[in-house]
Amino acid sequence: MTNISHKNRQQSDDKCHSYVACENCAMQSICLPIKTGQQPLKLTNQYLTKRVNAEQGSVLFHQGDALENIYAVCSGTYKLTLENRFSEEKIIGFRFPGELIGDDALYPKVHSHSAIALGEATVCKVNVAQLMAYTQTVPDLQLSLVELLTRQNYVSQQQFESFISKKSAESLVAAFLLNIAKRQSSKEEVLSVLKLAMSRDNIANFLGLRRETLSRVFAKLQKELIIEQTKKLVTVIDREQLCRLAFT
Amino acid sequence: MTNISHKNRQQSDDKCHSYVACENCAMQSICLPIKTGQQPLKLTNQYLTKRVNAEQGSVLFHQGDALENIYAVCSGTYKLTLENRFSEEKIIGFRFPGELIGDDALYPKVHSHSAIALGEATVCKVNVAQLMAYTQTVPDLQLSLVELLTRQNYVSQQQFESFISKKSAESLVAAFLLNIAKRQSSKEEVLSVLKLAMSRDNIANFLGLRRETLSRVFAKLQKELIIEQTKKLVTVIDREQLCRLAFT
DNA sequence: CGCAATTTTGACGTAGTTCAACACGTGTGG
DNA sequence: CCACACGTGTTGAACTACGTCAAAATTGCG
């Protein structure tokens, strides 16, 4: 069951959320179908719900849910989790503004994981049944869907390859930070101060490390003046060194 | 550059290759477009080349090559590899009959890894440019392509999820053997004798272990009467135990 | 402020790596 | 035909990175 809160909560002392522009969103190929020659708004409104608010901890879908919608993050961060046979949580990914959630369920029509907001967030929602209905009649939309799928396949592949080749805890962490930096940056502009919405436990869980190990790695990187950390903010000081570590 | 040998080499003392049936192949949705209402042969012949022979070590494409074709394995086994900045090989997957190769390059149009035959093999070849040209005019083919992509996305996702939950060497090996067994088996029939075309070094490389560690794990599994190994043949004796180990 | 959750630090155990030696099969050349 | 190299796989012994356990320090929140 989808479980999004529409309540407009007061922004806490978090910085204001920055919303990603549609032009930088992975969903754009099916949200901005200008090529269709139809009124874009009129068409997309049939299956697209824009900027739905979600509060901390709210769940877009649960592992095992039938596929109803796919989502694009507008602001905030989501974690994707698997649940062990004995209800241990395993984080298999994070999603940042401009990235898709739930699209990997298009084939078996069932979500293989859960998606949970880490803090307040907003998402755009695409109803799959309605989208599919439209692809039947609008050929260009189908083409856009192919494009979306191939791009997404590529993203998954990239992540897989970056993961499978890492060995030491240090290189995992380095690769993680660089990956986050890249995904939070806009095109051509490299971000060096990272807001991490997730806890250290979340990161350790995702990377398959113990929280203690992660803590020690961060401490080491800080001591070597490669990064600077102050609670949820991590600053990349020596990007080159970090790259070197990531590819070791 | 594609690099397939058409020479009909004498079968060595390997067992005869078993070719996968098209009905069990991941490519079927675009190879058997019976729904198109056209002469299937006439249509698919435009982009499909069936059962091309490839010899041991031959390369379908290199990491960095521009995408020309995607392939389905008919017989034999392929390894997919990344090359390190200093030419160490990292194996990121194996492909068995009925499975696709190169499809993940559909988006950036460049292969992110190499595909190399482990022994003699045959593949079916789909020319992407021609396929794409046809999808423009044959809507059902486009739909089939969407289906292929979503299924493939799903497969990647599954593999990623199995990988990211980092585990002991023993459970990695157990999961690997079960995975191989499942992929080499046909529907509903569980295979217990596995022909491993890849060397122990290949497996160790893929799993991120040292060859010595892998050897010790195999020895332990054999001592505990869970598997039986005679060079390239591995027999799963106690499937249940193997499952238990895989999920630990 | 005060309590709970998160993060860090230290001491110690262990799984897997590293290094080195050996065993086996296969191909090559004298 | 044997000698030798070479690729592949196995085994033992020492080493090390990460996990485990326990406790302290810091942060966040009512």
Side-chain angles (χ1 to χ4, degrees), chain B residues 93-113:
Chain B
F94 299 105
R95 290 293 179 269
F96 299 111
E99 300 181 337
L100 299 186
I101 300 183
D103 56 291
D104 54 319
L106 277 170
Y107 163 57
K109 305 282 189 197
V110 171
H111 291 289
S112 65
H113 54 255

mmCIF file of all heavy atoms in Angstrom, chain B residues 93-113:
data_model
loop_
_atom_site.group_PDB
_atom_site.id
_atom_site.type_symbol
_atom_site.label_atom_id
_atom_site.label_comp_id
_atom_site.label_asym_id
_atom_site.label_seq_id
_atom_site.Cartn_x
_atom_site.Cartn_y
_atom_site.Cartn_z
ATOM 1 N N GLY B 93 30.578 -11.493 -14.675
ATOM 2 C CA GLY B 93 29.442 -12.371 -14.892
ATOM 3 C C GLY B 93 29.757 -13.472 -15.878
ATOM 4 O O GLY B 93 30.757 -13.416 -16.597
ATOM 5 N N PHE B 94 28.901 -14.487 -15.879
ATOM 6 C CA PHE B 94 28.968 -15.552 -16.873
ATOM 7 C C PHE B 94 27.635 -15.591 -17.605
ATOM 8 O O PHE B 94 26.612 -15.176 -17.061
ATOM 9 C CB PHE B 94 29.246 -16.900 -16.197
ATOM 10 C CG PHE B 94 30.544 -16.953 -15.452
ATOM 11 C CD1 PHE B 94 30.562 -16.902 -14.069
ATOM 12 C CD2 PHE B 94 31.752 -17.032 -16.128
ATOM 13 C CE1 PHE B 94 31.768 -16.930 -13.364
ATOM 14 C CE2 PHE B 94 32.951 -17.066 -15.443
ATOM 15 C CZ PHE B 94 32.961 -17.015 -14.056
ATOM 16 N N ARG B 95 27.660 -16.074 -18.841
ATOM 17 C CA ARG B 95 26.408 -16.198 -19.592
ATOM 18 C C ARG B 95 26.275 -17.601 -20.142
ATOM 19 O O ARG B 95 27.203 -18.120 -20.753
ATOM 20 C CB ARG B 95 26.355 -15.185 -20.742
ATOM 21 C CG ARG B 95 26.205 -13.746 -20.297
ATOM 22 C CD ARG B 95 24.858 -13.472 -19.642
ATOM 23 N NE ARG B 95 24.734 -12.090 -19.191
ATOM 24 C CZ ARG B 95 25.071 -11.677 -17.975
ATOM 25 N NH1 ARG B 95 25.544 -12.525 -17.096
ATOM 26 N NH2 ARG B 95 24.907 -10.412 -17.653
ATOM 27 N N PHE B 96 25.111 -18.185 -19.916
ATOM 28 C CA PHE B 96 24.819 -19.549 -20.343
ATOM 29 C C PHE B 96 23.805 -19.538 -21.473
ATOM 30 O O PHE B 96 23.190 -18.504 -21.742
ATOM 31 C CB PHE B 96 24.294 -20.342 -19.150
ATOM 32 C CG PHE B 96 25.271 -20.449 -18.034
ATOM 33 C CD1 PHE B 96 25.061 -19.801 -16.825
ATOM 34 C CD2 PHE B 96 26.430 -21.195 -18.193
ATOM 35 C CE1 PHE B 96 25.987 -19.886 -15.794
ATOM 36 C CE2 PHE B 96 27.352 -21.283 -17.171
ATOM 37 C CZ PHE B 96 27.129 -20.635 -15.971
ATOM 38 N N PRO B 97 23.607 -20.694 -22.116
ATOM 39 C CA PRO B 97 22.643 -20.753 -23.210
ATOM 40 C C PRO B 97 21.282 -20.183 -22.817
ATOM 41 O O PRO B 97 20.781 -20.445 -21.712
ATOM 42 C CB PRO B 97 22.553 -22.258 -23.496
ATOM 43 C CG PRO B 97 23.928 -22.752 -23.210
ATOM 44 C CD PRO B 97 24.357 -21.956 -21.997
ATOM 45 N N GLY B 98 20.720 -19.389 -23.701
ATOM 46 C CA GLY B 98 19.430 -18.773 -23.439
ATOM 47 C C GLY B 98 19.538 -17.389 -22.828
ATOM 48 O O GLY B 98 18.538 -16.709 -22.642
ATOM 49 N N GLU B 99 20.774 -16.964 -22.508
ATOM 50 C CA GLU B 99 20.949 -15.663 -21.861
ATOM 51 C C GLU B 99 21.523 -14.635 -22.834
ATOM 52 O O GLU B 99 22.181 -14.982 -23.810
ATOM 53 C CB GLU B 99 21.838 -15.821 -20.629
ATOM 54 C CG GLU B 99 21.238 -16.795 -19.612
ATOM 55 C CD GLU B 99 22.077 -16.956 -18.359
ATOM 56 O OE1 GLU B 99 23.292 -16.688 -18.413
ATOM 57 O OE2 GLU B 99 21.529 -17.368 -17.336
ATOM 58 N N LEU B 100 21.286 -13.365 -22.528
ATOM 59 C CA LEU B 100 21.683 -12.280 -23.423
ATOM 60 C C LEU B 100 23.078 -11.743 -23.095
ATOM 61 O O LEU B 100 23.502 -11.791 -21.948
ATOM 62 C CB LEU B 100 20.687 -11.126 -23.331
ATOM 63 C CG LEU B 100 19.239 -11.419 -23.723
ATOM 64 C CD1 LEU B 100 18.426 -10.141 -23.724
ATOM 65 C CD2 LEU B 100 19.185 -12.097 -25.071
ATOM 66 N N ILE B 101 23.726 -11.224 -24.100
ATOM 67 C CA ILE B 101 25.019 -10.566 -23.921
ATOM 68 C C ILE B 101 25.014 -9.245 -24.679
ATOM 69 O O ILE B 101 24.623 -9.201 -25.839
ATOM 70 C CB ILE B 101 26.173 -11.436 -24.448
ATOM 71 C CG1 ILE B 101 26.212 -12.764 -23.711
ATOM 72 C CG2 ILE B 101 27.506 -10.717 -24.317
ATOM 73 C CD1 ILE B 101 27.368 -13.667 -24.121
ATOM 74 N N GLY B 102 25.415 -8.186 -24.017
ATOM 75 C CA GLY B 102 25.603 -6.903 -24.677
ATOM 76 C C GLY B 102 24.396 -5.988 -24.627
ATOM 77 O O GLY B 102 24.476 -4.825 -25.000
ATOM 78 N N ASP B 103 23.263 -6.506 -24.150
ATOM 79 C CA ASP B 103 22.031 -5.735 -24.122
ATOM 80 C C ASP B 103 22.134 -4.522 -23.206
ATOM 81 O O ASP B 103 21.415 -3.547 -23.373
ATOM 82 C CB ASP B 103 20.883 -6.613 -23.670
ATOM 83 C CG ASP B 103 21.174 -7.254 -22.332
ATOM 84 O OD1 ASP B 103 22.064 -8.120 -22.285
ATOM 85 O OD2 ASP B 103 20.547 -6.871 -21.334
ATOM 86 N N ASP B 104 23.028 -4.583 -22.228
ATOM 87 C CA ASP B 104 23.151 -3.467 -21.296
ATOM 88 C C ASP B 104 23.845 -2.273 -21.939
ATOM 89 O O ASP B 104 23.950 -1.214 -21.330
ATOM 90 C CB ASP B 104 23.900 -3.914 -20.040
ATOM 91 C CG ASP B 104 25.236 -4.530 -20.396
ATOM 92 O OD1 ASP B 104 25.292 -5.285 -21.367
ATOM 93 O OD2 ASP B 104 26.222 -4.237 -19.699
ATOM 94 N N ALA B 105 24.304 -2.440 -23.169
ATOM 95 C CA ALA B 105 24.946 -1.310 -23.858
ATOM 96 C C ALA B 105 23.942 -0.522 -24.692
ATOM 97 O O ALA B 105 24.314 0.413 -25.389
ATOM 98 C CB ALA B 105 26.086 -1.803 -24.739
ATOM 99 N N LEU B 106 22.669 -0.888 -24.600
ATOM 100 C CA LEU B 106 21.674 -0.233 -25.458
ATOM 101 C C LEU B 106 21.591 1.263 -25.188
ATOM 102 O O LEU B 106 21.338 2.043 -26.097
ATOM 103 C CB LEU B 106 20.299 -0.880 -25.273
ATOM 104 C CG LEU B 106 20.082 -2.155 -26.090
ATOM 105 C CD1 LEU B 106 18.807 -2.872 -25.673
ATOM 106 C CD2 LEU B 106 20.042 -1.828 -27.583
ATOM 107 N N TYR B 107 21.811 1.646 -23.939
ATOM 108 C CA TYR B 107 21.756 3.079 -23.734
ATOM 109 C C TYR B 107 22.999 3.834 -24.180
ATOM 110 O O TYR B 107 22.913 4.636 -25.109
ATOM 111 C CB TYR B 107 21.384 3.483 -22.311
ATOM 112 C CG TYR B 107 21.732 4.920 -22.043
ATOM 113 C CD1 TYR B 107 21.204 5.930 -22.841
ATOM 114 C CD2 TYR B 107 22.646 5.277 -21.059
ATOM 115 C CE1 TYR B 107 21.549 7.256 -22.646
ATOM 116 C CE2 TYR B 107 22.993 6.599 -20.866
ATOM 117 C CZ TYR B 107 22.446 7.585 -21.666
ATOM 118 O OH TYR B 107 22.802 8.871 -21.482
ATOM 119 N N PRO B 108 24.142 3.583 -23.575
ATOM 120 C CA PRO B 108 25.211 4.503 -23.968
ATOM 121 C C PRO B 108 25.807 4.126 -25.312
ATOM 122 O O PRO B 108 26.686 4.821 -25.804
ATOM 123 C CB PRO B 108 26.241 4.352 -22.855
ATOM 124 C CG PRO B 108 25.948 3.053 -22.203
ATOM 125 C CD PRO B 108 24.643 2.537 -22.679
ATOM 126 N N LYS B 109 25.306 3.007 -25.888
ATOM 127 C CA LYS B 109 25.761 2.562 -27.212
ATOM 128 C C LYS B 109 27.226 2.185 -27.223
ATOM 129 O O LYS B 109 27.865 2.142 -28.276
ATOM 130 C CB LYS B 109 25.526 3.658 -28.283
ATOM 131 C CG LYS B 109 24.084 4.136 -28.358
ATOM 132 C CD LYS B 109 23.209 3.172 -29.089
ATOM 133 C CE LYS B 109 21.815 3.773 -29.332
ATOM 134 N NZ LYS B 109 20.843 2.740 -29.683
ATOM 135 N N VAL B 110 27.771 1.945 -26.045
ATOM 136 C CA VAL B 110 29.158 1.508 -25.929
ATOM 137 C C VAL B 110 29.207 0.376 -24.912
ATOM 138 O O VAL B 110 28.574 0.468 -23.861
ATOM 139 C CB VAL B 110 30.065 2.664 -25.459
ATOM 140 C CG1 VAL B 110 31.462 2.159 -25.121
ATOM 141 C CG2 VAL B 110 30.148 3.759 -26.522
ATOM 142 N N HIS B 111 29.944 -0.652 -25.210
ATOM 143 C CA HIS B 111 30.035 -1.785 -24.292
ATOM 144 C C HIS B 111 30.914 -1.442 -23.099
ATOM 145 O O HIS B 111 32.041 -0.975 -23.272
ATOM 146 C CB HIS B 111 30.589 -3.016 -25.008
ATOM 147 C CG HIS B 111 29.642 -3.583 -26.019
ATOM 148 N ND1 HIS B 111 28.481 -4.232 -25.662
ATOM 149 C CD2 HIS B 111 29.665 -3.598 -27.371
ATOM 150 C CE1 HIS B 111 27.843 -4.625 -26.753
ATOM 151 N NE2 HIS B 111 28.528 -4.239 -27.811
ATOM 152 N N SER B 112 30.404 -1.690 -21.914
ATOM 153 C CA SER B 112 31.161 -1.356 -20.715
ATOM 154 C C SER B 112 32.062 -2.506 -20.291
ATOM 155 O O SER B 112 32.850 -2.379 -19.362
ATOM 156 C CB SER B 112 30.210 -1.007 -19.573
ATOM 157 O OG SER B 112 29.450 -2.141 -19.211
ATOM 158 N N HIS B 113 31.916 -3.650 -20.942
ATOM 159 C CA HIS B 113 32.762 -4.792 -20.604
ATOM 160 C C HIS B 113 33.029 -5.611 -21.865
ATOM 161 O O HIS B 113 32.444 -5.347 -22.908
ATOM 162 C CB HIS B 113 32.095 -5.654 -19.533
ATOM 163 C CG HIS B 113 30.709 -6.081 -19.902
ATOM 164 N ND1 HIS B 113 29.592 -5.521 -19.330
ATOM 165 C CD2 HIS B 113 30.256 -6.981 -20.784
ATOM 166 C CE1 HIS B 113 28.516 -6.072 -19.865
ATOM 167 N NE2 HIS B 113 28.880 -6.959 -20.749
#
